[in-house]
Amino acid sequence: MASKGVNKVILVGNLGQDPEVRCTTNGNAVANLSIATSESWKDQQGQFQERTEWHRLTMYRRLAEVAGEYLRKGSQIYVEGKLQTRKWQDQQGQDRYTTEIIVDSMQMLGGREQSGGQSAPAGNQPQRGKPPASNGYQQARNGQQGNNQPIAEPDFDFDQDIPF
Amino acid sequence: MASKGVNKVILVGNLGQDPEVRCTTNGNAVANLSIATSESWKDQQGQFQERTEWHRLTMYRRLAEVAGEYLRKGSQIYVEGKLQTRKWQDQQGQDRYTTEIIVDSMQMLGGREQSGGQSAPAGNQPQRGKPPASNGYQQARNGQQGNNQPIAEPDFDFDQDIPF
Amino acid sequence: MASKGVNKVILVGNLGQDPEVRCTTNGNAVANLSIATSESWKDQQGQFQERTEWHRLTMYRRLAEVAGEYLRKGSQIYVEGKLQTRKWQDQQGQDRYTTEIIVDSMQMLGGREQSGGQSAPAGNQPQRGKPPASNGYQQARNGQQGNNQPIAEPDFDFDQDIPF
Amino acid sequence: MASKGVNKVILVGNLGQDPEVRCTTNGNAVANLSIATSESWKDQQGQFQERTEWHRLTMYRRLAEVAGEYLRKGSQIYVEGKLQTRKWQDQQGQDRYTTEIIVDSMQMLGGREQSGGQSAPAGNQPQRGKPPASNGYQQARNGQQGNNQPIAEPDFDFDQDIPF
DNA sequence: TTTT
DNA sequence: TTTT
């Protein structure tokens, strides 16, 4: 509802794998996605270099459902969200930290046949008896809230997450 | 020089402490800063909640020098940059990951007396025989390169970094 | 509610004058502000050049009220919004176009005494029996809607607007 | 080289027509493009509404050449740039203003067959004896300059432009 | 660790 | 018309 400062991330990239979608105990969907961005340049020796960066995304509610229904490995998306670093304990009981992008809004890019399709439907998406839209123009936003709004998800057990 | 995708972060926040500025063995400055953003909301019980997010920033070259000269604990800045996750080994030899924002451009905010001043000059800033500017309107960008360009810093030993 | 594409503007600048706040016939506040950004460079003759860009902002509802209460000529703000070009007729009946930024979210910058104060209270702000806050840390967002959502303002007579 | 404030626009949209590319008298390319973004919503009567916004883009140098070679009507792009309003006189000698986005960086979206192709090659693109790339992953940035840098183009006759 |  |  109120913010001090600005915490904004804008990414355009392709999914490294199908989204993982789960439900919280109170019935809200949560999706985890990873997308890649990369850059390439010539180094001082004139050699071509490339660096790929992987970004871990988290989506909630309607956005998570849309991701589960329409996104697949290879899908290209635009996302806007905020950075969030959460603390967890590894098996040795050590504190560890993972930084994720909590997504506020998402756009599927490329239209037409580009998104979805090839990869087999993952078992964890909410099934709704509808095939994925054949055109990629879907947009989604978490319904009842503006950007940057914290989402209370007290019953979601992040401790069980595999570190990214 | 070329990118596939977009990797962009925009932050406005206040420094949690004075910048740490070092030099690489080839004489380039590197600065580490941490800035806070926060958001507050009423939870379902009507209780006021606040969450502060800390962001680790890395600046290079001229931008790092400017940070060392003009920024202090409490300074409010706007930064634009990209996400980068680097791998390092902890003392047990375990792989760990830290996500940082590599800053492409920075703006000091608030003007007037706001930035610098109160906190004692840290010993690690490049001294140039000039006092910090009394006004905060400084802007900086890494001179010879556009945004999103990878910066080769092969001689900088990140492994010695204390994890964020 | 749904978007095709992304239409996003991010500005940090200072108000050229006090905000103008009006009410629509159904009681919603509308504010118009103009803010400046500038850039400077050396031209090929080594001469220092500066260019100032003026941006026309429009805010609605709660955001407009906050602007009227807390912002003054000279205030530094961060805004996020979208571009919108509206058509109007000049006195010769010619079509003309004005591009504005419809603001989704706003942050006052600089803290402390920076905002408000010096300039006399304009007569057109909603009076609420409270003086402007002495500190600038206020943030606002249009309450019941997310970003990028069109705001139906059918009863607001834009045709009477003075061109920017 | 230096900025006061931030002036940033981020758009994802589709070209309404092929880019128009020209050369300045000193041999630099300049491209004009228009791209659409749109949003749709249900109004208070439950009727579906849609609003399309058209954005006028200007690109210089290498970016303009890339646009001329690879972009066509319908191409989907991501652009980042800054707002600039320029003044011109209409045939009655009246001052008029046009707001454009001066593009700093561009990404072609959608990959594969999506971009280029169908529409006949416009006569005004620099011909280079190469067919358009069959895959859309091209990125471009104005070589020798960072973002937000003013580009001196004193010999380009904007007065002859048809108003947007 | 900041800021209000 | 701002700001430095």
mmCIF file with all atom_site columns, all heavy atoms in Angstrom, chain C residues 49-60:
data_model
loop_
_atom_site.group_PDB
_atom_site.id
_atom_site.type_symbol
_atom_site.label_atom_id
_atom_site.label_alt_id
_atom_site.label_comp_id
_atom_site.label_asym_id
_atom_site.label_entity_id
_atom_site.label_seq_id
_atom_site.pdbx_PDB_ins_code
_atom_site.Cartn_x
_atom_site.Cartn_y
_atom_site.Cartn_z
_atom_site.occupancy
_atom_site.B_iso_or_equiv
_atom_site.pdbx_formal_charge
_atom_site.auth_seq_id
_atom_site.auth_comp_id
_atom_site.auth_asym_id
_atom_site.auth_atom_id
_atom_site.pdbx_PDB_model_num
ATOM 1   N N   . GLN C 1 49 ? 26.754 22.401 -23.508 1.00 0.00 ? 49 GLN C N   1
ATOM 2   C CA  . GLN C 1 49 ? 25.366 22.533 -23.958 1.00 0.00 ? 49 GLN C CA  1
ATOM 3   C C   . GLN C 1 49 ? 24.430 21.940 -22.921 1.00 0.00 ? 49 GLN C C   1
ATOM 4   O O   . GLN C 1 49 ? 24.785 20.982 -22.261 1.00 0.00 ? 49 GLN C O   1
ATOM 5   C CB  . GLN C 1 49 ? 25.159 21.763 -25.273 1.00 0.00 ? 49 GLN C CB  1
ATOM 6   C CG  . GLN C 1 49 ? 26.011 22.252 -26.424 1.00 0.00 ? 49 GLN C CG  1
ATOM 7   C CD  . GLN C 1 49 ? 25.511 23.571 -26.984 1.00 0.00 ? 49 GLN C CD  1
ATOM 8   O OE1 . GLN C 1 49 ? 24.371 23.960 -26.745 1.00 0.00 ? 49 GLN C OE1 1
ATOM 9   N NE2 . GLN C 1 49 ? 26.376 24.249 -27.708 1.00 0.00 ? 49 GLN C NE2 1
ATOM 10  N N   . GLU C 1 50 ? 23.243 22.494 -22.821 1.00 0.00 ? 50 GLU C N   1
ATOM 11  C CA  . GLU C 1 50 ? 22.255 21.901 -21.926 1.00 0.00 ? 50 GLU C CA  1
ATOM 12  C C   . GLU C 1 50 ? 20.892 21.896 -22.612 1.00 0.00 ? 50 GLU C C   1
ATOM 13  O O   . GLU C 1 50 ? 20.545 22.830 -23.328 1.00 0.00 ? 50 GLU C O   1
ATOM 14  C CB  . GLU C 1 50 ? 22.169 22.681 -20.609 1.00 0.00 ? 50 GLU C CB  1
ATOM 15  C CG  . GLU C 1 50 ? 21.182 22.033 -19.640 1.00 0.00 ? 50 GLU C CG  1
ATOM 16  C CD  . GLU C 1 50 ? 21.252 22.616 -18.240 1.00 0.00 ? 50 GLU C CD  1
ATOM 17  O OE1 . GLU C 1 50 ? 21.521 23.812 -18.114 1.00 0.00 ? 50 GLU C OE1 1
ATOM 18  O OE2 . GLU C 1 50 ? 21.051 21.848 -17.273 1.00 0.00 ? 50 GLU C OE2 1
ATOM 19  N N   . ARG C 1 51 ? 20.163 20.827 -22.405 1.00 0.00 ? 51 ARG C N   1
ATOM 20  C CA  . ARG C 1 51 ? 18.814 20.759 -22.949 1.00 0.00 ? 51 ARG C CA  1
ATOM 21  C C   . ARG C 1 51 ? 17.864 20.326 -21.837 1.00 0.00 ? 51 ARG C C   1
ATOM 22  O O   . ARG C 1 51 ? 18.084 19.298 -21.199 1.00 0.00 ? 51 ARG C O   1
ATOM 23  C CB  . ARG C 1 51 ? 18.761 19.743 -24.096 1.00 0.00 ? 51 ARG C CB  1
ATOM 24  C CG  . ARG C 1 51 ? 17.377 19.627 -24.705 1.00 0.00 ? 51 ARG C CG  1
ATOM 25  C CD  . ARG C 1 51 ? 17.264 18.499 -25.719 1.00 0.00 ? 51 ARG C CD  1
ATOM 26  N NE  . ARG C 1 51 ? 15.875 18.256 -25.988 1.00 0.00 ? 51 ARG C NE  1
ATOM 27  C CZ  . ARG C 1 51 ? 15.206 18.727 -27.051 1.00 0.00 ? 51 ARG C CZ  1
ATOM 28  N NH1 . ARG C 1 51 ? 15.836 19.423 -27.960 1.00 0.00 ? 51 ARG C NH1 1
ATOM 29  N NH2 . ARG C 1 51 ? 13.918 18.482 -27.203 1.00 0.00 ? 51 ARG C NH2 1
ATOM 30  N N   . THR C 1 52 ? 16.832 21.093 -21.643 1.00 0.00 ? 52 THR C N   1
ATOM 31  C CA  . THR C 1 52 ? 15.827 20.748 -20.636 1.00 0.00 ? 52 THR C CA  1
ATOM 32  C C   . THR C 1 52 ? 14.572 20.255 -21.325 1.00 0.00 ? 52 THR C C   1
ATOM 33  O O   . THR C 1 52 ? 14.118 20.851 -22.300 1.00 0.00 ? 52 THR C O   1
ATOM 34  C CB  . THR C 1 52 ? 15.490 21.978 -19.763 1.00 0.00 ? 52 THR C CB  1
ATOM 35  O OG1 . THR C 1 52 ? 16.651 22.331 -19.026 1.00 0.00 ? 52 THR C OG1 1
ATOM 36  C CG2 . THR C 1 52 ? 14.364 21.657 -18.793 1.00 0.00 ? 52 THR C CG2 1
ATOM 37  N N   . GLU C 1 53 ? 14.069 19.172 -20.832 1.00 0.00 ? 53 GLU C N   1
ATOM 38  C CA  . GLU C 1 53 ? 12.840 18.602 -21.378 1.00 0.00 ? 53 GLU C CA  1
ATOM 39  C C   . GLU C 1 53 ? 11.734 18.783 -20.338 1.00 0.00 ? 53 GLU C C   1
ATOM 40  O O   . GLU C 1 53 ? 11.928 18.479 -19.169 1.00 0.00 ? 53 GLU C O   1
ATOM 41  C CB  . GLU C 1 53 ? 13.091 17.107 -21.632 1.00 0.00 ? 53 GLU C CB  1
ATOM 42  C CG  . GLU C 1 53 ? 12.138 16.450 -22.559 1.00 0.00 ? 53 GLU C CG  1
ATOM 43  C CD  . GLU C 1 53 ? 12.210 16.974 -23.985 1.00 0.00 ? 53 GLU C CD  1
ATOM 44  O OE1 . GLU C 1 53 ? 13.322 17.247 -24.474 1.00 0.00 ? 53 GLU C OE1 1
ATOM 45  O OE2 . GLU C 1 53 ? 11.135 17.135 -24.592 1.00 0.00 ? 53 GLU C OE2 1
ATOM 46  N N   . TRP C 1 54 ? 10.578 19.248 -20.795 1.00 0.00 ? 54 TRP C N   1
ATOM 47  C CA  . TRP C 1 54 ? 9.439  19.402 -19.884 1.00 0.00 ? 54 TRP C CA  1
ATOM 48  C C   . TRP C 1 54 ? 8.423  18.306 -20.154 1.00 0.00 ? 54 TRP C C   1
ATOM 49  O O   . TRP C 1 54 ? 8.092  18.041 -21.306 1.00 0.00 ? 54 TRP C O   1
ATOM 50  C CB  . TRP C 1 54 ? 8.802  20.782 -20.054 1.00 0.00 ? 54 TRP C CB  1
ATOM 51  C CG  . TRP C 1 54 ? 9.652  21.842 -19.457 1.00 0.00 ? 54 TRP C CG  1
ATOM 52  C CD1 . TRP C 1 54 ? 10.540 22.635 -20.103 1.00 0.00 ? 54 TRP C CD1 1
ATOM 53  C CD2 . TRP C 1 54 ? 9.722  22.201 -18.070 1.00 0.00 ? 54 TRP C CD2 1
ATOM 54  N NE1 . TRP C 1 54 ? 11.162 23.468 -19.213 1.00 0.00 ? 54 TRP C NE1 1
ATOM 55  C CE2 . TRP C 1 54 ? 10.682 23.223 -17.960 1.00 0.00 ? 54 TRP C CE2 1
ATOM 56  C CE3 . TRP C 1 54 ? 9.072  21.749 -16.910 1.00 0.00 ? 54 TRP C CE3 1
ATOM 57  C CZ2 . TRP C 1 54 ? 11.011 23.817 -16.733 1.00 0.00 ? 54 TRP C CZ2 1
ATOM 58  C CZ3 . TRP C 1 54 ? 9.392  22.330 -15.692 1.00 0.00 ? 54 TRP C CZ3 1
ATOM 59  C CH2 . TRP C 1 54 ? 10.360 23.357 -15.611 1.00 0.00 ? 54 TRP C CH2 1
ATOM 60  N N   . HIS C 1 55 ? 7.943  17.703 -19.087 1.00 0.00 ? 55 HIS C N   1
ATOM 61  C CA  . HIS C 1 55 ? 7.000  16.600 -19.206 1.00 0.00 ? 55 HIS C CA  1
ATOM 62  C C   . HIS C 1 55 ? 5.691  16.971 -18.523 1.00 0.00 ? 55 HIS C C   1
ATOM 63  O O   . HIS C 1 55 ? 5.688  17.400 -17.371 1.00 0.00 ? 55 HIS C O   1
ATOM 64  C CB  . HIS C 1 55 ? 7.561  15.340 -18.527 1.00 0.00 ? 55 HIS C CB  1
ATOM 65  C CG  . HIS C 1 55 ? 8.941  14.996 -18.965 1.00 0.00 ? 55 HIS C CG  1
ATOM 66  N ND1 . HIS C 1 55 ? 9.195  14.220 -20.059 1.00 0.00 ? 55 HIS C ND1 1
ATOM 67  C CD2 . HIS C 1 55 ? 10.152 15.349 -18.468 1.00 0.00 ? 55 HIS C CD2 1
ATOM 68  C CE1 . HIS C 1 55 ? 10.503 14.095 -20.216 1.00 0.00 ? 55 HIS C CE1 1
ATOM 69  N NE2 . HIS C 1 55 ? 11.111 14.774 -19.266 1.00 0.00 ? 55 HIS C NE2 1
ATOM 70  N N   . ARG C 1 56 ? 4.610  16.769 -19.225 1.00 0.00 ? 56 ARG C N   1
ATOM 71  C CA  . ARG C 1 56 ? 3.295  17.054 -18.664 1.00 0.00 ? 56 ARG C CA  1
ATOM 72  C C   . ARG C 1 56 ? 2.738  15.783 -18.016 1.00 0.00 ? 56 ARG C C   1
ATOM 73  O O   . ARG C 1 56 ? 2.570  14.758 -18.682 1.00 0.00 ? 56 ARG C O   1
ATOM 74  C CB  . ARG C 1 56 ? 2.361  17.534 -19.772 1.00 0.00 ? 56 ARG C CB  1
ATOM 75  C CG  . ARG C 1 56 ? 0.969  17.844 -19.278 1.00 0.00 ? 56 ARG C CG  1
ATOM 76  C CD  . ARG C 1 56 ? 0.096  18.301 -20.453 1.00 0.00 ? 56 ARG C CD  1
ATOM 77  N NE  . ARG C 1 56 ? -1.278 18.451 -20.060 1.00 0.00 ? 56 ARG C NE  1
ATOM 78  C CZ  . ARG C 1 56 ? -1.788 19.552 -19.505 1.00 0.00 ? 56 ARG C CZ  1
ATOM 79  N NH1 . ARG C 1 56 ? -1.029 20.607 -19.306 1.00 0.00 ? 56 ARG C NH1 1
ATOM 80  N NH2 . ARG C 1 56 ? -3.068 19.602 -19.160 1.00 0.00 ? 56 ARG C NH2 1
ATOM 81  N N   . LEU C 1 57 ? 2.429  15.866 -16.750 1.00 0.00 ? 57 LEU C N   1
ATOM 82  C CA  . LEU C 1 57 ? 1.909  14.717 -16.006 1.00 0.00 ? 57 LEU C CA  1
ATOM 83  C C   . LEU C 1 57 ? 0.438  14.917 -15.674 1.00 0.00 ? 57 LEU C C   1
ATOM 84  O O   . LEU C 1 57 ? 0.010  16.024 -15.357 1.00 0.00 ? 57 LEU C O   1
ATOM 85  C CB  . LEU C 1 57 ? 2.651  14.543 -14.679 1.00 0.00 ? 57 LEU C CB  1
ATOM 86  C CG  . LEU C 1 57 ? 4.173  14.560 -14.677 1.00 0.00 ? 57 LEU C CG  1
ATOM 87  C CD1 . LEU C 1 57 ? 4.683  14.313 -13.248 1.00 0.00 ? 57 LEU C CD1 1
ATOM 88  C CD2 . LEU C 1 57 ? 4.718  13.506 -15.612 1.00 0.00 ? 57 LEU C CD2 1
ATOM 89  N N   . THR C 1 58 ? -0.314 13.833 -15.698 1.00 0.00 ? 58 THR C N   1
ATOM 90  C CA  . THR C 1 58 ? -1.696 13.849 -15.216 1.00 0.00 ? 58 THR C CA  1
ATOM 91  C C   . THR C 1 58 ? -1.862 12.780 -14.151 1.00 0.00 ? 58 THR C C   1
ATOM 92  O O   . THR C 1 58 ? -1.434 11.645 -14.330 1.00 0.00 ? 58 THR C O   1
ATOM 93  C CB  . THR C 1 58 ? -2.685 13.592 -16.371 1.00 0.00 ? 58 THR C CB  1
ATOM 94  O OG1 . THR C 1 58 ? -2.506 14.607 -17.357 1.00 0.00 ? 58 THR C OG1 1
ATOM 95  C CG2 . THR C 1 58 ? -4.125 13.626 -15.894 1.00 0.00 ? 58 THR C CG2 1
ATOM 96  N N   . MET C 1 59 ? -2.454 13.176 -13.053 1.00 0.00 ? 59 MET C N   1
ATOM 97  C CA  . MET C 1 59 ? -2.732 12.223 -11.968 1.00 0.00 ? 59 MET C CA  1
ATOM 98  C C   . MET C 1 59 ? -4.225 12.260 -11.662 1.00 0.00 ? 59 MET C C   1
ATOM 99  O O   . MET C 1 59 ? -4.855 13.302 -11.794 1.00 0.00 ? 59 MET C O   1
ATOM 100 C CB  . MET C 1 59 ? -1.962 12.601 -10.697 1.00 0.00 ? 59 MET C CB  1
ATOM 101 C CG  . MET C 1 59 ? -0.452 12.593 -10.868 1.00 0.00 ? 59 MET C CG  1
ATOM 102 S SD  . MET C 1 59 ? 0.356  13.145 -9.339  1.00 0.00 ? 59 MET C SD  1
ATOM 103 C CE  . MET C 1 59 ? 2.075  13.008 -9.811  1.00 0.00 ? 59 MET C CE  1
ATOM 104 N N   . TYR C 1 60 ? -4.746 11.141 -11.222 1.00 0.00 ? 60 TYR C N   1
ATOM 105 C CA  . TYR C 1 60 ? -6.154 11.041 -10.875 1.00 0.00 ? 60 TYR C CA  1
ATOM 106 C C   . TYR C 1 60 ? -6.342 10.639 -9.416  1.00 0.00 ? 60 TYR C C   1
ATOM 107 O O   . TYR C 1 60 ? -5.464 10.057 -8.802  1.00 0.00 ? 60 TYR C O   1
ATOM 108 C CB  . TYR C 1 60 ? -6.850 9.989  -11.751 1.00 0.00 ? 60 TYR C CB  1
ATOM 109 C CG  . TYR C 1 60 ? -6.931 10.387 -13.201 1.00 0.00 ? 60 TYR C CG  1
ATOM 110 C CD1 . TYR C 1 60 ? -6.145 9.760  -14.159 1.00 0.00 ? 60 TYR C CD1 1
ATOM 111 C CD2 . TYR C 1 60 ? -7.804 11.392 -13.620 1.00 0.00 ? 60 TYR C CD2 1
ATOM 112 C CE1 . TYR C 1 60 ? -6.221 10.125 -15.502 1.00 0.00 ? 60 TYR C CE1 1
ATOM 113 C CE2 . TYR C 1 60 ? -7.894 11.763 -14.962 1.00 0.00 ? 60 TYR C CE2 1
ATOM 114 C CZ  . TYR C 1 60 ? -7.103 11.133 -15.892 1.00 0.00 ? 60 TYR C CZ  1
ATOM 115 O OH  . TYR C 1 60 ? -7.174 11.498 -17.206 1.00 0.00 ? 60 TYR C OH  1
#
